[in-house]
Structure formats: structure tokens, C-alpha cells
Amino acid sequence: MPLAVALLSGAALAYQLLLMRLFSILQWHHFAYMVISLALLGYGASGALLTLFRRPLLERFETAFTVLAALFGPLALGCFSLAQSVRVNPLAAVWEPRQLGAVGAVYLILALPFVAAGAAIGLALARFEGSVHRIYRADLVGAALGAAAAIVLLYLRPPDVGLRAVGAAGGLAALAAWLATRRRAGGGRGARGGALALAALLLSALWPGAWLEPKMSEYKALAKALAVPGAEVIAERSSPRAALAAVASPRIPFRLAPGLSFAYSGEIPEQILIFGDGEIAAVVDRGAGSDPSPPYLGFLPAALPFELSAQEGRVAVLGAGGGTGLALALAHEAREIHAVEGDPRLLELWTGELADFAGRPHANPRVEVHAVDARAFLSSARGPFDLVVMPPVGEGVASGTAASLRERYEHTVEALSRAIELTAPGGVVAVDGELAAPPRASLKLVAAGAEALDRAGLDPRRHLAAIRSWNRFVLILGRSELAAEAIATTRAFAGERAFDLAYYPGMTESEANRFHLLAEPELYLGIAALLGPERDRFLRDYKFDIRPATDDRPYFLHFFRWRTLGELLELRTTGGAAFLDWGYLVLATTLAQAAVAGLVLILLPLWWLRRRSPDSGAGRVGLYFLCLGIGFLSLEIAFIQRLTLFLAHPLLAAGVVLAGFLLFAGLGSGASKRFERLLPAAPIPIVAAGIVGLALLELLLLRALFATGSAWPLGLRLPAALFAIAPLAFLLGMPFPLGLRRVAASRADLVPWAWGVNGWASVLAAVLATLLAV
């Protein structure tokens, strides 16, 4: 039976990770957090089911377990197919409340496979109460292997293909349970269980591929691009980072030039757009690497830093997969260009199918390509550079913040501080991005830049400059004071191209707001406030949260303040909805839904138990497993968020942390009985004290690990992360079997309910930990 439990647990965890990936493609990244909670809500619901029907299920344990395991695969495939048919537009939730009902429907549909898996595993824990540590070990180790397998699958094949493997794993779990039952019965059991398992396997193989193919939201940019007559996908790549699609439109060519000067009267070359998970990830100009480069590039706001420092200089372009920064560096004749891109599959497109179209800019002898994350490059790079171009700020800043829950370590104070360290005297750090009205991301970036300059002992008022167009801004941070020549170049560049000056040392308000007229020069006034003595008050009183993002709080695109919710809701039908961090609000709604549903699922069985035995001790049992579930998942989520910086991608961090935590917790569960024999007096308090001590110690150890190992190759960072996880996870695996054995010895009927309480607590922890982190 442990093999069947391990297979089923691994399938459930792999399904969870695949759904996280699929939701990033279908909707937006923040729905990944919903997947974690719905998985665990399914486990909580399974506890209620087992509590109410414990006796008949235990009397027919072999049949019940086999049926539940066999159901998991068809439910995993069928519920995903059904969920795709529900029309959901979370963007409209703030003015169309029924969309919350649609989100809730998807939530409940996708919880069903986890109910089946959770019920089967909980049933095994109740049936083999004397071997709880072995069953729980099989559950955790199987889940760890499932997490690892899911990550490997995502590197090899698209996520919808992995769904078939998950379905097949459920069938294999049913087959393993049936074979184990036959061995215990001496081969006398009938063939119905085996036939059911084989049917589940066959169904997974024959499930129509069209039903599993991800149907991307019609509100994503890729769906809009493919609606252009003649547009087609000409190349694709898939990885845990993103599903990439290169789209060409020969009949009506794409021409994307964010912030292009109205003074430019020439032509923009034909372009191919690269989409990552349905949103624009890169723009490929025809002939971007040719000589001369497309002339329109010099009329973008992003060209200013290259005018200041790139001429025959040493340049680092972070996030170079976008192409514009690299093309600008080539156009300004930089002598040495370091093109940094964290997604190797994006580089494959540039250097493969799109190379001839782009003029092979990455093959230029002045260009050195680095397939690493921006922060990893900053940690390991050797300066000095004349210009460091940070990745652009974008993805929903001006039109509803779908990415408000995504960690952005490349735009934190620490990232900007390191970039400033790497620049030569006279060199600059530059960032460009979208400009909203009222400004949010721009001011948040200025606040981070000012703090980074402060940390370097530099006066932000003398080392900072900014310009804007009608929808873009560029921030300049100088390692040295911006000299008269640099200021003159900035003023001339802006004036010739009809860009507005937002700030330079010595600027007056009368110089702002000349070309793209606003009611008042909000960006200039905001920057002046951030660089003045009232910075703290301005940050506190501003309607949006524009405090600098840091490595401890890396949610750069999170601007929401609860005190403005009423005002924004009043304005939602007149344009105010664009300023709602609806990703954060959907997460808060998910917490409310999970809390209500969980209370029903937990309190109903509790009422049932107390009717049968008023003095059941259920309150103490419930509190123990509630705290245990919250503690375990909170630590897991915290490690995922901390290791996202170290491993450079959230899904990779999730896979490594889940696999590591579950594997070592499983080993700890297996050792719990031996530990109890060694310390029979108070094993649970000793383990709890050890967990608290190790958690506090690892707060310090992780900082040291990040400081020394962030520049290591991924092959070293992965085992280092696992090594950091191991001791704490090992101890975390002990409290559950120690507690469940004690419950089984005194009140065996509470075992399924304790399993459900633990699952529901994990739901709350998964969502609440994220809300608290933001």
C-alpha cells in the first residue's frame, strides 16, 4: 500500500505544479497561488468525507482506495477540460461581480481531483493507524518525486502533455493498490479492481488532445495579435519559465515602438513579436543587428542613456531578449556589449528561427551573450561598465496590475545598488518603463533609485535625472554627479524629440510639462518630493503604495492601499478600475472563499462527531492539526519566495522547495517512531522547539547563502538550496505522525477529521502567507 500512496501523492503534487503553469498561460501568474489553496481545500474536503463515512469506507477499504485512486486520473483530465469551458474574465470582477462566481466555479471544479486523492490517502492513514509514519512517509516522498517529475516534464514537453502522465499515475496507483490487496488475500480477490485501474490508464491515453490544449484568455495580448488578418505563430518554445510564441504578420506588419517621439517622421521596420505566456516578451525588428540600425531607435526615450555613456563604452544590457537595448548599444557603437537574458529558450529563438530576420545581432563580435538571470549577472559581473541598462518596467503598470503578486528582484533597492557599484566614474544606470497617470511605477522606481544612491553615500539630487514621453519614462542614476555636459545632452535630447524633462539637477518646475501636457507636472513634482526632506511623508500620504521594493518585499508592481479601496470602487465605471491591484484582491477573495468553504467542511463533521460523543477532545485535536498545517505551509511558502531570488524563477523555486520539503519531511516521518522510543516523555514539544530554533537559524543562514552563492551556476545552486532545506524539513515531518498516532490510540474516529483540519489549515496558510508577504 505505501507504493500506491506514493504514486497517488506524486500524481497529485505534479498535477498541482502543472496547473500552476497552465494558469500562468491561461490567465495570469497570480492564479498559481489559487491552485495551491484549491489543492489543499480538496484535501480538507476529503477529511470531511471520511469523517462522515468512515465506517463503511474502512469496511470496504481495498475497494474504496482503488476506486478513489482510479477516479483521480479521469477527474484530473476532465475537470481541467471542464474548467476551460467556464468563461472567466478576472479583469472585469471589480465592475461585474458575477465574475467572482465564475472564479469560484473554476475553483471548486479543479478541487475535485484533490478530493479523490486526499480521501484515498486519508483512508490509508485511518486504515493503517499503527503504521502512520510509513504511510505519511510514502505520501511525502511520493509528492517530492512528483514535484521533481513535473519540473522535468515542463522542460521536455508542454504542460498539457504532462496532464496525461498525471492521469496515468493515478491509474498506476489504483493498479498498485489492487496488486497489494491480492497479495494480502493470497491472490483470491476478483479482477474488478484491476479492470478499473486499466480503464483509468486507457482513458488517460485516449483523452482527446483538443480538450487538454490550453485555451488562452481572449483578453491576453497574444489572442489580440492572432486576430490580425494573416498573423500566425512561426516558432514556439516551452519551459517552466514561459510558453513562448513568435508571431509574424506579413499582411499587416506589427510595428511596436513604445514612447516613440512624435517628431519622428520615418518608417518603423517590420517586426516579429515574441509572447511569453500570452503577453509581449520581446520585439524583433527586421535588421536590428544590421549596419545602420533602424533609425527609429534613436527617437525612443530609451535611447537617452546610450547618448550619455554608450559611445565606445562597455555596456551591460539586462533583459536583452527584448532586443531594443541590444540594438541601441550596437547603433551607438559600444565597444563591448554584454547581453544578459535569463530565459535560454528566448535566446534560442533569437539565434535560431529569427536570426536572419533580425540581422544576427547576438552574433556580432562586440556582443557577449549571458544566459543568466539579471540578478545572477549583477552578482558575478566584473565592472566597471559605462552603462548598465536594467530590465524595463512593464506588464500591466498602466492598465490594471495583473502582475502585482510577482516577485521582481531586478527592480529592488539591492539590485539598483549593485548596478551602481558596477558603473565606472561618469557611468550611469538606466531603467525605462511604462508611465501611468497618476504615476506609480515611475515614482516607485525613483524612490528605489534614491535609496540606492543614499546607500552608496551619493546625493540623489545631484546623481539622478529622468525624462518622459506620453506613455514612457526613463530614469538615469549616475555614479558621479551629473556634469553640465550630461545635463546639456539630456536637455537637447528631450527638446529635439519633444520629450518632457521630468528631473535633472537644478531643474525648475517651469521646464516641465512642455510637450505632453498634463493638468500639472505630476512626475516632476513627485520626484522633487522624493528627493526632498519630506520623502517619508510623501511616501506615506500618496494614494498608491510607492515605497521602494526590496529583496525582503520584492513586489514592485504592488501599489494597492486598503484606504483607497472605497474611492477606487466608486470610480470603477469611469476608469478607476485600471488602478485596482485586482491580483491582490482576487487573492484576498480566494482567502475568504477558502475560509467559508473550509469552515463548513470542518464544522459539519465536528457537529457529527460531538453528537456521537460529546466529550470527544476534538477541540484540542483540531487546534493541534490547525497550527501544524498553518506552520508547515507558511514555512514552505516563505522558502519558495526566498529561493525565487536564489534560483531565478518562481516555478523552479516552487518545484525545488516542494520536492525538498516533502522528501526530507518524509524521511523525518519515517524516523518519528524511532525518535519517540528514544524520547518517550515529551517528543512533540522537543520537536516543536527544534523547528522553531532551526527556522530562526535559517533566517541567518539563507542571507549568507544568497550573499555568497547567487553567482554560482544553477547546477550548484540547486543542491545548495536542497541542503539549506533539509534539516528543517526533516523535523517538520515528525509532528504529524507523532500527533496522529496519539489520536489513533485514544479516538480513532478523529483521525480522518484531523487529516481534513490539517488540509484546511494548509489552504489558509498558502494564501495568507502570500498576503502577509506582500
Side-chain angles (χ1 to χ4, degrees), residues 430-443:
V431 197
D432 83 292
E434 296 179 29
L435 179 64
R440 295 183 294 171
S442 48
L443 291 181

Side-chain angles (χ1 to χ4, degrees), residues 45 123 306 376:
L123 192 61
F306 294 89

Side-chain angles (χ1 to χ4, degrees), residues 196 198-199 282 364 436 576 721:
L196 191 62
L198 291 174
N364 190 295

Side-chain angles (χ1 to χ4, degrees), residues 70-155:
L71 277 175
F72 173 79
L75 282 174
L77 300 174
C79 288
F80 176 73
S81 301
L82 180 61
Q84 289 211 91
S85 68
V86 179
R87 187 179 174 86
V88 179
N89 177 19
L91 281 166
V94 293
W95 64 81
E96 192 178 341
R98 68 185 180 88
Q99 289 295 334
L100 294 176
V103 171
V106 171
Y107 192 87
L108 293 176
I109 290 169
L110 289 174
L112 291 177
F114 298 106
V115 174
I121 296 168
L123 192 61
L125 288 167
R127 170 66 177 81
F128 301 102
E129 57 189 42
S131 302
V132 164
H133 61 293
R134 293 193 181 94
I135 297 297
Y136 192 53
R137 176 177 61 192
D139 172 35
L140 295 179
V141 172
L145 296 176
I151 295 297
V152 173
L153 271 173
L154 287 170
Y155 272 111

Side-chain angles (χ1 to χ4, degrees), residues 21 25 159 216 222 237-245 275-278:
R21 187 73 205 91
I25 298 170
M216 188 176 295
L222 176 57
R237 293 289 190 280
S238 182
S239 76
R241 282 181 170 272
L244 298 175
F275 295 85
D277 289 346

Side-chain angles (χ1 to χ4, degrees), residues 307-321:
E307 295 279 341
L308 291 173
S309 298
Q311 198 76 22
E312 298 184 359
R314 189 168 185 252
V315 176
V317 180
L318 312 186

